[in-house]
Amino acid sequence: MASGAIFSSLRRRRSPTLEAFLAPVDLSDVALVQTLVTVVNELVSCFSKCSFFFQRKNTRSLIRKVEVFQLLLEYLNDSGSKGCNLPATALLCLKELYLLLYRSKILLDYCAQSSKLWLLLQNHSISGHFHDLNQEVSTLLDVFPVREVCLSKDVREQVELLLKQSRRAKLFIDMGDDALRIRFFEFLDEFENGKIPESDKLRWFYVEKLRIVDADCCRGEIEALEEQIVNHEGDIEPTISVLKGLVAMTRYCRFLIFGFEEDEVDSENGNQKKPKMGLITQEIADTFLTVPKDFCCPISLDLMRDPVIISTGQTYDRSSISRWMDEGHTTCPKTGQTLAHTRLVSNRALRNLIVQWCNAHGVPLDPPEVMDAMGEAFGSASPTKAALEANRATANLLIQQLANGSQSGKTIAAREIRLLAKTGKENRAFLAEAGAIPYLRNLLSTPNSVAQENSVTALLNLSIYDKNKSRIMDESGCLGSIVDVLRFGHTTEARENAAATLFSLSAVHDYKKIIADETGAVEALAGLLQNGTPRGKKDAVTALFNLSTHTENCVRMIEAGAVTALVEALGYEGVAEEAAGSLALIVRQPFGAKAVVKQEEAVAGLIGMMRCGTPRGKENAVAALLELCRSGGSAATEMVVKAPALAGLLQTLLFTGTKRARRKAASLARVFQRCENASLHYGGLGVGYAYASNSAQTRDISFAAGDVSVPMSISVPVL
């Protein structure tokens, strides 16, 4: 008998529960028959009147077979024996029938719930699954002792007829469905050869043949194919590259055929409609649930969103184990074993089980922070020429809509450009080349919050491609509009993404001064760092760090209140590292050091980071304190060397810090020692006199971001 594993390659929006593959345990003979009657009745009631778009003959055939089993089981249940007098062979067959019925339910549910395009692509594979089930029916009935079980003549004849039909049955593939599948790939070949298929033929295929009748249905098909890309396994056809081409082609058809109909965008009030959660699902979601232990990260003890496997074979949530490694640990948190390497391998099997559990219990599962699974899957395979050509054709339609469409149409176009620019430098390149940036700039000042949010995020995604940075900066008024969104944006996400856009643009050294000089830019970043969400603070502090690496921005940052915000940020774990790095750069200049000294909590905050910060945070903190002594004069030096526990922290850092941290700690320790010795030598003249008398050596005060440790590999979020 085939096991439940034959369906492991079938991936749906909502996977079956694990219990669906397990036979009932410790059931008596009577309970077994009663259970089978319940299962078969439920199956027939669910699918006997269900209309299947594809696999019509196979589904009808399977349902008819199930109806014969229903007749058999109801007779056994009503006969009075209820299984008590059944032979052992018959009982064994009934237990196997339990599994067969559940596998039938899973396959029928798959055909009823899956997207049309995916069913079309899997036409041969799914037909094979129906044939496998038919063979199981034949084998089961071959073993079932029909002559030994007390059955009525009609029931026996029905069972024997089913056996004969099952023995004769062959693999059936609907040639009409397969012709559509072949036509689907022919359209893709046309894009591959640089030719855009005729719109009438595309309309005939999608609307008349597949009955995809509106933009909402088409978008659902696109999302279903994208989900297959996320869950793709190497042995499943079609490949990721082909699927990406089919997604691109279907997205093009969505706008070509259905235009820019209002779907989830409410143009009147600027809100995006979100799907409503059913009452039962909402009730479950509002109820306290115990998360299975295997689904929780051993470090954070929270439900894992992106489980990964490390070299020891243990699984952790990506964000937690990445932070563990960033802090300098080289061992497995759970086993204590030394890590052979720091590569993280996605545990997709566990991820799928977690998604399945969350779906079953109505628990929302947020995407991973750095790069969600979909983005990872999309980036794992190079786009085909067909995908590029289809995306290019889509981009032209979107930009035409931005230029001449209605307000709601422009809102939808901005959202689609945002999504299209989410992956692939090719997409980002031809979107900008086609002229998207000026139209997106115009939308930044719209009163529609959804349009503004989508347009600024689209610019963020476009800016990741280096050549687009100059296009954005050269566009008249574009930088000012981005800053205006940062200052006065309608939504929190819009303001945060504006900050992230400035961070992306400031990666080019020549633009750092231009951005800092833009009216209100630094003030808004400082305000976001002080009052923003955790993600907003992160966007703001990374942008401020980039700006602080330009020497001419120091005065501007002090005047705008950035130093105050950076000092306050030393107390926030998520941004303290970058804040300390930025301060270390600012205090290299005397007026920068003077501004930091005026902040009462500055030295205490840096000392606190030396005590409890990450390895990089400790490194940046000791670097900032050293530069403060060098540039801040006697008052700053006295403030630093008199800080409580400094000597002990320096000693600890000399033994446990990173290489750069040990070097900075050694230099600061020498300053501390000179001041202590001179204080004894000069009696009451104080630390300032001591430091001044021992600082005859000159030093280069040139400015370099390499003197602090901030992970400049921070990727701009793709949203």
Side-chain angles (χ1 to χ4, degrees):
M1 300 286 180
S3 70
I6 65 171
F7 296 111
S8 62
S9 65
L10 298 182
R11 290 179 297 279
R12 300 164 299 285
R13 287 192 174 183
R14 186 159 186 163
S15 301
T17 59
L18 295 177
E19 291 77 5
F21 296 113
L22 303 177
V25 181
D26 297 330
L27 286 176
S28 66
D29 299 342
V30 176
L32 175 59
V33 175
Q34 292 175 339
T35 300
L36 284 170
V37 169
T38 301
V39 171
V40 75
N41 287 340
E42 179 187 357
L43 200 157
V44 171
S45 65
C46 286
F47 298 106
S48 61
K49 296 181 180 180
C50 183
S51 177
F52 294 89
F53 196 85
F54 291 116
Q55 298 292 338
R56 288 179 290 272
K57 183 174 179 179
N58 281 328
T59 53
R60 285 197 301 267
S61 176
L62 179 58
I63 292 171
R64 283 197 297 268
K65 293 179 176 67
V66 172
E67 288 173 341
V68 174
F69 284 120
Q70 182 185 33
L71 185 66
L72 169 64
L73 293 168
E74 287 181 343
Y75 181 85
L76 293 176
N77 192 50
D78 296 339
S79 64
S81 61
K82 296 187 179 180
C84 295
N85 301 319
L86 292 176
T89 305
L91 291 174
L92 181 64
C93 288
L94 291 180
K95 290 181 180 179
E96 187 63 30
L97 178 60
Y98 181 90
L99 286 173
L100 176 60
L101 291 174
Y102 262 102
R103 286 195 287 273
S104 300
K105 182 179 185 299
I106 290 166
L107 184 55
L108 290 170
D109 184 63
Y110 182 83
C111 292
Q113 300 297 327
S114 294
S115 76
K116 293 176 181 178
L117 291 177
W118 180 247
L119 288 175
L120 192 63
L121 293 171
Q122 296 297 307
N123 189 37
H124 285 217
S125 175
I126 296 173
S127 297
H129 289 309
F130 278 104
H131 184 61
D132 289 342
L133 282 176
N134 186 76
Q135 289 182 314
E136 287 193 47
V137 170
S138 176
T139 304
L140 187 149
L141 293 179
D142 273 333
V143 177
F144 188 79
V146 178
R147 299 295 176 182
E148 299 178 24
V149 178
C150 181
L151 298 173
S152 68
K153 182 180 179 181
D154 290 343
V155 173
R156 181 177 287 107
E157 288 178 351
Q158 291 284 345
V159 173
E160 290 175 346
L161 179 61
L162 177 58
L163 174 58
K164 291 178 182 179
Q165 292 174 341
S166 300
R167 286 173 175 171
R168 293 197 306 265
K170 296 181 180 179
L171 173 66
F172 175 77
I173 297 175
D174 191 305
M175 290 298 101
D177 293 349
D178 209 47
L180 286 177
R181 183 184 65 85
I182 293 171
R183 189 70 185 98
F184 195 26
F185 282 104
E186 288 176 350
F187 285 133
L188 191 66
D189 288 339
E190 290 187 51
F191 277 105
E192 187 73 27
N193 295 326
K195 178 184 177 183
I196 298 178
E198 296 178 16
S199 59
D200 290 343
K201 293 181 179 179
L202 291 172
R203 183 183 299 275
W204 166 85
F205 178 78
Y206 281 93
V207 179
E208 296 184 22
K209 290 300 180 180
L210 296 184
R211 305 305 300 166
I212 299 174
V213 296
D214 55 34
D216 188 61
C217 290
C218 194
R219 190 179 64 255
E221 293 290 328
I222 293 170
E223 292 173 353
L225 290 181
E226 289 176 335
E227 189 168 338
Q228 296 301 331
I229 293 176
V230 173
N231 297 322
H232 195 275
E233 295 177 4
D235 58 341
I236 301 298
E237 292 292 338
T239 64
I240 288 181
S241 294
V242 173
L243 279 175
K244 289 169 70 174
L246 295 173
V247 167
M249 181 175 71
T250 305
R251 182 182 290 113
Y252 168 71
C253 292
R254 178 251 187 271
F255 295 106
L256 177 71
I257 297 172
F258 305 111
F260 290 79
E261 299 177 9
E262 292 187 32
D263 38 28
E264 74 270 22
V265 176
D266 184 351
S267 61
E268 292 183 3
N269 54 26
N271 292 326
Q272 284 181 289
K273 298 178 182 178
K274 297 182 179 180
K276 295 181 179 179
M277 185 179 292
L279 293 178
I280 295 177
T281 305
Q282 182 65 54
E283 182 179 353
I284 293 173
D286 292 340
T287 304
F288 176 77
L289 293 172
T290 301
V291 180
K293 183 178 179 182
D294 291 339
F295 294 172
C296 295
C297 175
I299 297 176
S300 67
L301 303 181
D302 291 330
L303 179 68
M304 288 187 281
R305 294 182 296 168
D306 188 14
V308 293
I309 303 171
I310 63 174
S311 62
T312 61
Q314 299 295 323
T315 296
Y316 301 91
D317 199 21
R318 185 185 296 274
S319 60
S320 297
I321 193 62
S322 296
R323 175 172 292 186
W324 171 269
M325 292 177 177
D326 287 344
E327 290 175 354
H329 298 287
T330 58
T331 58
C332 173
K334 194 170 183 180
T335 66
Q337 294 175 268
T338 301
L339 300 178
H341 55 76
T342 57
R343 291 192 299 274
L344 304 178
V345 180
S346 294
N347 190 337
R348 292 187 177 178
L350 181 57
R351 164 79 179 172
N352 289 339
L353 289 177
I354 293 173
V355 170
Q356 171 183 296
W357 181 86
C358 290
N359 286 339
H361 293 87
V363 176
L365 184 66
D366 296 329
E369 292 178 0
V370 178
M371 179 180 287
D372 59 9
M374 186 171 292
E376 183 178 355
F378 270 90
S380 63
S382 299
T384 60
K385 183 179 179 182
L388 293 176
E389 290 300 322
N391 283 334
R392 191 184 300 274
T394 303
N396 290 331
L397 291 177
L398 296 175
I399 293 170
Q400 288 174 15
Q401 185 66 22
L402 283 179
N404 305 311
S406 63
Q407 180 59 50
S408 62
K410 291 179 180 180
T411 301
I412 295 172
R415 181 200 63 210
E416 293 301 321
I417 290 176
R418 164 186 180 169
L419 297 176
L420 196 56
K422 191 174 182 178
T423 55
K425 66 178 183 180
E426 297 88 356
N427 293 349
R428 296 172 186 132
F430 61 63
L431 279 167
E433 291 167 359
I437 292 173
Y439 298 113
L440 292 172
R441 178 210 61 202
N442 292 338
L443 276 181
L444 293 177
S445 57
T446 179
N448 186 309
S449 61
V450 176
Q452 183 188 71
E453 184 178 304
N454 284 325
S455 58
V456 73
T457 309
L459 286 171
L460 165 61
N461 292 343
L462 289 173
S463 72
I464 297 172
Y465 181 53
D466 286 342
K467 290 184 178 180
N468 287 346
K469 289 179 170 62
S470 60
R471 291 189 175 106
I472 293 172
M473 293 296 292
D474 292 343
E475 179 64 32
S476 177
C478 193
L479 176 60
S481 296
I482 294 171
V483 172
D484 286 342
V485 175
L486 174 62
R487 300 170 66 190
F488 313 115
H490 301 311
T491 66
T492 299
E493 184 174 352
R495 294 190 293 273
E496 291 172 347
N497 291 347
T501 306
L502 294 183
F503 164 61
S504 176
L505 296 173
S506 63
V508 179
H509 184 75
D510 291 343
Y511 298 154
K512 294 174 183 178
K513 184 70 166 62
I514 298 174
I515 293 172
D517 288 342
E518 185 69 32
T519 303
V522 180
E523 289 87 348
L525 288 172
L528 186 61
L529 180 55
Q530 289 176 305
N531 304 311
T533 65
R535 184 194 145 198
K537 290 177 183 291
K538 190 75 171 179
D539 292 331
V541 77
T542 49
L544 287 172
F545 174 83
N546 268 8
L547 297 181
S548 67
T549 60
H550 196 296
T551 55
E552 296 180 21
N553 286 341
C554 186
V555 175
R556 179 76 186 88
M557 294 181 70
I558 295 171
E559 293 173 347
V563 170
T564 301
L566 290 167
V567 170
E568 292 178 4
L570 295 174
Y572 294 97
E573 182 181 354
V575 296
E577 208 173 270
E578 293 87 349
S582 188
L583 289 172
L585 295 171
I586 291 173
V587 298
R588 290 180 65 85
Q589 300 186 60
F591 49 85
K594 184 177 180 180
V596 172
V597 169
K598 291 181 180 179
Q599 302 294 322
E600 297 180 359
E601 301 298 324
V603 173
L606 293 169
I607 292 292
M609 280 203 67
M610 288 180 62
R611 181 182 294 107
C612 303
T614 64
R616 284 197 185 99
K618 293 177 180 179
E619 181 179 314
N620 290 341
V622 70
L625 291 173
L626 177 61
E627 295 301 332
L628 195 58
C629 291
R630 288 174 169 174
S631 302
S634 58
T637 304
E638 184 171 2
M639 185 180 296
V640 172
V641 299
K642 286 187 174 182
L646 176 64
L649 291 173
L650 288 174
Q651 186 176 13
T652 301
L653 206 55
L654 285 169
F655 286 100
T656 63
T658 64
K659 183 177 180 180
R660 181 179 284 117
R662 292 197 299 270
R663 189 173 69 248
K664 298 291 184 181
S667 298
L668 186 55
R670 285 193 292 271
V671 172
F672 181 83
Q673 189 175 18
R674 285 199 303 268
C675 292
E676 289 295 305
N677 292 339
S679 181
L680 293 174
H681 179 72
Y682 292 105
L685 293 179
V687 174
Y689 183 85
Y691 182 75
S693 66
N694 285 277
S695 57
Q697 60 179 353
T698 61
R699 66 180 182 89
D700 180 14
I701 61 170
S702 61
F703 197 78
D707 290 338
V708 297
S709 176
V710 171
M712 290 310 293
S713 60
I714 295 173
S715 59
V716 177
V718 185
L719 304 161

